[in-house]
Amino acid sequence: MSNKKSAKNRVGNGKDKTPYVEESLDEVADAPIKKIKNSVYEKELFRLQLELVKLQAWIAKEKLKVVVIFEGRDAAGKGGVIKRITQHLNPRICRVVALPAPTEREATQWYFQRYVGHLPAGGEIVLFDRSWYNRAGVERVMGFCDNEEYSEFLRSCPEFERMLVRSGIILLKYWFSVSDEEQERRFQSRLEEPHKRWKLSPMDLESRARWVEYSRAKDMMFAHTDIKQAPWYVVKSDVKKHARLNCIAHLLSKIPYEDLTPKEIVLPKRKDSLGYVRPPMSDQTFVPEIYP
């Protein structure tokens, strides 16, 4: 069975071959969403983050190589999930890659080349905040690539990812699905809150007028790249807290690990000063205490 056919069968409700349409929410539009209580959310998030620490230790010990891709529309909640994943992890083991637009030189390279240098070595986790799938999304919709480059990406991407998996990389791909209404609400929030305004770029504003084009591009991307070796996992993200917990819990379920929590550590007593005399405080430059 071809990749395209198998992807089409997987996408949808699992019982028929109706193409998946991310924004078809009419049948549940009137159903109230029961949101998780803040106290329950904080408790669950803490528990899951502790499991992430255990997973990190296992990955480091076993020299596993993990790549997690986060894709979705603007304001779909990708950054919030990434922030919660990395909050208590060692940045030397788990790092985030969020590349800017390619330079003039990079634009002449093999398309995947600038991503390859960011792939993990043994004992590392790399979280891609957007990835090589830019070509299937924003580049396609905004006309930053031509038809030949786009078609070549759809052909080569599945083979590229199969090659990564064969090399021993654990590859997980998440698509954050947000409704038109919720995206609009989050855009408005970014306009109203000064500390969030930087998140609203001219490209984000342009994407609002091309909702259907992005939907078609996403559906085509799924049809070609939702492969057995590296399937897409869709995260419903209209409720940010639900999306964060669901995504982290799923990530933990996809990588078997053991608890390597060390035995309780007892801090030893400090040694005597052995005649050490601290230099005068006046010899040092201190930060002004504006907030006493």
Side-chain angles (χ1 to χ4, degrees), residues 8-212:
K8 186 176 180 181
N9 288 343
R10 280 196 299 275
V11 176
N13 60 20
K15 296 181 180 179
D16 57 37
K17 297 183 180 180
T18 304
Y20 172 88
V21 181
E22 176 191 354
E23 299 79 18
S24 291
L25 301 175
D26 294 341
E27 64 275 14
V28 294
D30 297 328
I33 299 176
K34 187 176 181 180
K35 295 184 180 180
I36 191 170
K37 293 182 179 179
N38 285 338
S39 58
V40 177
Y41 166 74
E42 294 295 343
K43 182 178 180 180
E44 276 302 290
L45 180 62
F46 181 83
R47 182 184 68 81
L48 292 172
Q49 288 177 326
L50 182 57
E51 292 303 312
L52 284 172
V53 172
K54 297 175 184 178
L55 174 62
Q56 172 187 248
W58 181 256
I59 288 172
K61 177 181 180 295
E62 296 297 312
K63 301 299 181 185
L64 301 180
K65 297 175 287 186
V66 179
V67 169
V68 187
I69 288 176
F70 296 86
E71 293 286 350
R73 293 182 183 273
D74 300 312
K78 303 178 295 296
V81 174
I82 292 172
K83 181 178 179 181
R84 271 69 183 184
I85 290 174
T86 60
Q87 188 172 359
H88 299 292
L89 299 186
N90 185 340
R92 294 180 179 85
I93 296 175
C94 180
R95 67 179 186 273
V96 179
V97 175
L99 299 183
T103 64
E104 198 172 312
R105 179 176 180 274
E106 288 172 334
T108 67
Q109 297 175 343
W110 175 49
Y111 177 71
F112 296 96
Q113 188 169 335
R114 75 186 189 121
Y115 297 99
V116 170
H118 296 280
L119 294 175
E124 294 179 351
I125 310 166
V126 175
L127 310 180
F128 278 97
D129 186 354
R130 297 202 182 278
S131 63
W132 46 83
Y133 282 101
N134 280 339
R135 174 135 296 176
V138 62
E139 291 190 20
R140 173 62 171 173
V141 174
M142 302 303 296
F144 297 149
C145 66
D146 58 35
N147 289 336
E148 184 178 349
E149 290 171 327
Y150 174 69
S151 297
E152 178 57 33
F153 173 82
L154 294 180
R155 283 193 300 267
S156 9
C157 183
E159 291 306 318
F160 174 68
E161 292 181 351
R162 288 189 185 99
M163 182 171 62
L164 296 183
V165 173
R166 287 197 303 270
S167 75
I169 288 176
I170 298 171
L171 177 59
L172 297 172
K173 304 186 304 192
Y174 291 104
W175 176 270
F176 284 74
S177 177
V178 64
S179 65
D180 189 2
E181 295 79 8
E182 180 60 20
Q183 187 193 51
E184 179 70 16
R185 190 192 69 76
R186 293 177 187 178
F187 277 177
Q188 289 297 333
S189 172
R190 292 178 178 184
L191 285 173
E192 295 164 4
E193 300 182 39
H195 62 287
K196 290 184 177 180
R197 201 165 294 158
W198 64 270
K199 294 183 176 183
L200 200 57
S201 69
M203 195 68 64
D204 296 332
L205 298 177
E206 181 65 26
S207 71
R208 292 175 70 249
R210 305 197 182 198
W211 182 273
V212 174

Side-chain angles (χ1 to χ4, degrees), residues 1-20 219 222-224 226-227:
M1 183 180 290
S2 66
N3 296 335
K4 188 172 182 180
K5 185 176 181 181
S6 60
K8 186 176 180 181
N9 288 343
R10 280 196 299 275
V11 176
N13 60 20
K15 296 181 180 179
D16 57 37
K17 297 183 180 180
T18 304
Y20 172 88
D219 291 341
F222 266 47
H224 285 81
D226 187 21
I227 58 176

